[in-house]
Amino acid sequence: MSKNALKVADRLLLSPYGLGDAELEKVFRKLMRHQIDYADLYFQYQRSEGWSLEEGIVKSGSFDIEQGVGVRAISGEKTAFAYSDDISLDALVGAATATRAIADAGERRSVAITPHKVRNRLYRADDPLASLDDTAKVKLLERLEGFARAEDARVTQVMAHIAGSWEVVLVARNDGHMAADVRPLVRVSVTVIMEDGDRREQGSAGGGGRYDYTYFSDERLRDYARAAVHQASVNLEAGPAPAGTMPVVLGPGWPGILLHEAIGHGLEGDFNRKGSSAFSDRIGQQVAAKGVTVVDDGTLPDRRGSLSIDDEGNPTERTVLIEDGILTGYMQDIMNARLMGVAPTGNGRRESYAHLPMPRMTNTYMLNGDRDPAEIIKSVKKGLYAVNFGGGQVDITSGKFVFSTAEAYLIENGKVTRPVKGATLIGNGPDVLTRVSMIGNDMALDPGVGTCGKDGQSVPVGVGQPTLRIDGLTVGGTA
């Protein structure tokens, strides 16, 4: 958050509609006539675009402008919420009136929100959509396609996509706190189809973050193309995957998506307040092997999952969730933190002004251990080395998960041997944490591609981890 962000937000979201302190105070007076514990207004303006190239032809292009305001009031565990794409005093008063449905809810509680110190911005406020003209955006995709085809003559099809957005948000709260943020976000992805004889496989790669399009240098685009072609070529050579219980070594970086899905969601405050998480009521207990430390950190500069402030106006934090195997805390928004008697952690996030905030991850990762990755591989007599993942599913209550690998290899007698296709990892998140036996010293974050879904809302996130050895994990294979 910064004074500049507040100026931008005022210019786009308040001043054009005749809104100032007096008008916002009028809305809050209407809200707080009822037995309300907390209320806020969330203003949003967003420009976004996407371009897709396939077989050298622009297949699609989109541009969208979205703006509006959400009005929320909380009493106890009850929430009233209304939103409008019309930013005006009349619309705000109407939305405030609509919240009276919870006016009769319970006794009134006091609001106790600690003011936060303004921090330096985590990313530049420049609009990425303006950083290249449309012709240059198409040429960027054409270069990416060319790099992919140059990698391997077996590439028969290339699909490239670029997306960018520029978002301005303003949060006004009944405690007088006002905060704003200007959020750029870009992403490039490439998928290749490769054929060899009668076999046909695909590979994907990409990256991005809170930059403008100049982030995608030719060197970076070549890296994406090389990674996608490598993944497809490995799968062309892959044999059937083994099945059974065995040691599994997870590579660094993107495999942290398993940590995010199987463990991270279970550490969000709402699930734990309701007692529906496998980690509920376990603060201070040993929930993972010694050496396992997991953090959620929204303060990393320029990362896809980072935010200067969350969507409730609180600065994001580096929250230690598990330290040396001990559960130390949960990720919290304002409502769940208040009901649990703890402080919010800057994890209140929402997809847009038309959605309610809830506790969500930002950048969630496991910290380094002290083992050399080569030593971890060498320690496995027979197992699986999972370098990259595709999709997965998890049940928050039980912690059970199923993940499919996108790139995996056999480990035989301490060496990575042949690639395998079709391997799935099956387990239980809390149980898997106790089975971590070796932690590498090569922690890496993902390249900037993560999107997390929860209750129908999608938000950008980051994941990461070092190389890990997990003992006794069930592998569903094709052999």
Side-chain angles (χ1 to χ4, degrees):
M1 185 186 69
S2 69
K3 291 181 179 179
N4 286 338
L6 282 168
K7 288 180 180 178
V8 173
D10 179 76
R11 176 170 56 83
L12 287 173
L13 294 166
L14 298 181
S15 293
Y17 309 102
L19 297 176
D21 292 346
E23 288 75 22
L24 298 185
E25 179 61 29
K26 181 177 179 180
V27 176
F28 281 118
R29 281 201 305 270
K30 192 166 193 68
L31 282 169
M32 302 308 289
R33 286 176 187 169
H34 312 306
Q35 293 179 345
I36 301 301
D37 296 328
Y38 169 85
D40 62 19
L41 311 176
Y42 181 85
F43 298 85
Q44 179 192 29
Y45 172 91
Q46 179 173 272
R47 291 203 301 266
S48 58
E49 68 174 0
W51 298 81
S52 293
L53 189 80
E54 187 174 342
E55 295 303 292
I57 301 170
V58 177
K59 290 291 186 178
S60 65
S62 63
F63 178 77
D64 182 63
I65 296 178
E66 181 181 31
Q67 68 177 30
V69 59
V71 179
R72 177 176 62 147
I74 298 173
S75 180
E77 296 186 24
K78 297 184 179 181
T79 299
F81 179 66
Y83 65 90
S84 173
D85 59 5
D86 174 20
I87 300 178
S88 68
L89 181 58
D90 287 345
L92 282 167
V93 171
T97 301
T99 64
R100 65 181 54 183
I102 64 167
D104 298 325
E107 61 178 299
R108 180 164 180 163
R109 299 172 176 82
S110 61
V111 180
I113 302 170
T114 304
H116 291 275
K117 183 179 179 181
V118 175
R119 70 151 67 97
N120 293 329
R121 289 194 57 81
L122 300 175
Y123 32 81
R124 295 177 64 180
D126 299 342
D127 180 359
L129 279 64
S131 62
L132 292 179
D133 63 31
D134 292 348
T135 300
K137 293 167 190 173
V138 173
K139 288 188 177 298
L140 184 154
L141 293 176
E142 290 174 342
R143 292 199 307 278
L144 180 56
E145 179 187 31
F147 294 149
R149 291 189 179 279
E151 280 293 317
D152 196 306
R154 295 173 295 174
V155 173
T156 59
Q157 191 174 356
V158 180
M159 291 150 283
H161 181 73
I162 187 172
S165 65
W166 188 70
E167 180 185 23
V168 180
V169 301
L170 175 70
V171 182
R173 306 194 308 213
N174 71 289
D175 63 351
H177 183 76
M178 184 178 288
D181 197 14
V182 181
R183 302 168 177 172
L185 190 65
V186 294
R187 175 177 169 171
V188 156
S189 59
V190 59
T191 298
V192 302
I193 306 294
M194 293 180 63
E195 296 181 8
D196 193 350
D198 60 352
R199 291 198 65 167
R200 190 171 190 262
E201 296 289 348
Q202 76 172 38
S204 299
R210 297 200 177 276
Y211 307 96
D212 63 25
Y213 290 136
T214 59
Y215 173 73
F216 300 115
S217 64
D218 281 359
E219 181 181 1
R220 187 164 273 116
L221 295 178
R222 283 193 182 92
D223 287 343
Y224 298 154
R226 190 174 299 118
V229 171
H230 172 75
Q231 187 182 110
S233 64
V234 165
N235 285 322
L236 278 174
E237 302 168 4
T245 301
M246 64 189 72
V248 174
V249 177
L250 303 181
W254 179 246
I257 189 65
L258 190 151
L259 180 78
H260 168 104
E261 294 289 357
I263 298 155
H265 280 296
L267 297 176
E268 291 168 337
D270 48 354
F271 296 124
N272 288 281
R273 178 177 66 81
K274 297 170 184 176
S276 59
S277 167
F279 293 100
S280 297
D281 299 318
R282 299 191 65 189
I283 296 290
Q285 295 183 21
Q286 187 93 27
V287 298
K290 286 188 69 64
V292 171
T293 296
V294 179
V295 302
D296 183 85
D297 191 350
T299 71
L300 302 176
D302 302 319
R303 297 298 305 181
R304 180 174 170 84
S306 295
L307 297 169
S308 298
I309 58 168
D310 72 358
D311 294 325
E312 297 178 308
N314 291 318
T316 52
E317 299 178 7
R318 182 183 186 275
T319 303
V320 179
L321 304 169
I322 298 172
E323 186 168 14
D324 198 21
I326 303 296
L327 182 63
T328 57
Y330 305 122
M331 291 165 278
Q332 299 286 6
D333 63 350
I334 285 176
M335 186 182 83
N336 287 282
R338 179 174 54 79
L339 293 172
M340 295 178 74
V342 297
T345 58
N347 287 95
R349 304 191 65 187
R350 62 175 102 198
E351 181 176 318
S352 77
Y353 70 89
H355 298 84
L356 277 168
M358 57 182 132
R360 303 290 299 271
M361 285 172 273
T362 57
N363 304 296
T364 310
Y365 54 96
M366 185 182 297
L367 299 191
N368 266 333
D370 59 2
R371 298 299 187 97
D372 187 290
E375 178 190 2
I376 296 176
I377 296 291
K378 190 175 181 180
S379 73
V380 178
K381 184 175 182 181
K382 183 179 181 182
L384 188 76
Y385 180 36
V387 177
N388 215 329
F389 283 100
Q393 293 180 318
V394 63
D395 181 275
I396 300 301
T397 302
S398 67
K400 293 179 180 178
F401 65 81
V402 178
F403 273 87
S404 60
T405 60
E407 182 181 345
Y409 305 82
L410 282 181
I411 304 175
E412 298 173 294
N413 296 317
K415 295 182 179 179
V416 176
T417 57
R418 64 180 177 86
V420 294
K421 182 173 169 29
T424 57
L425 304 186
I426 305 165
N428 176 286
D431 177 63
V432 161
L433 285 178
T434 68
R435 295 176 180 269
V436 174
S437 61
M438 300 178 78
I439 305 173
N441 58 9
D442 59 341
M443 197 284 285
L445 297 171
D446 77 281
V449 297
T451 298
C452 173
K454 177 180 175 180
D455 290 351
Q457 295 191 44
S458 295
V459 296
V461 295
V463 300
Q465 67 173 46
T467 297
L468 300 178
R469 172 174 166 160
I470 302 172
D471 292 334
L473 192 57
T474 300
V475 177
T478 51

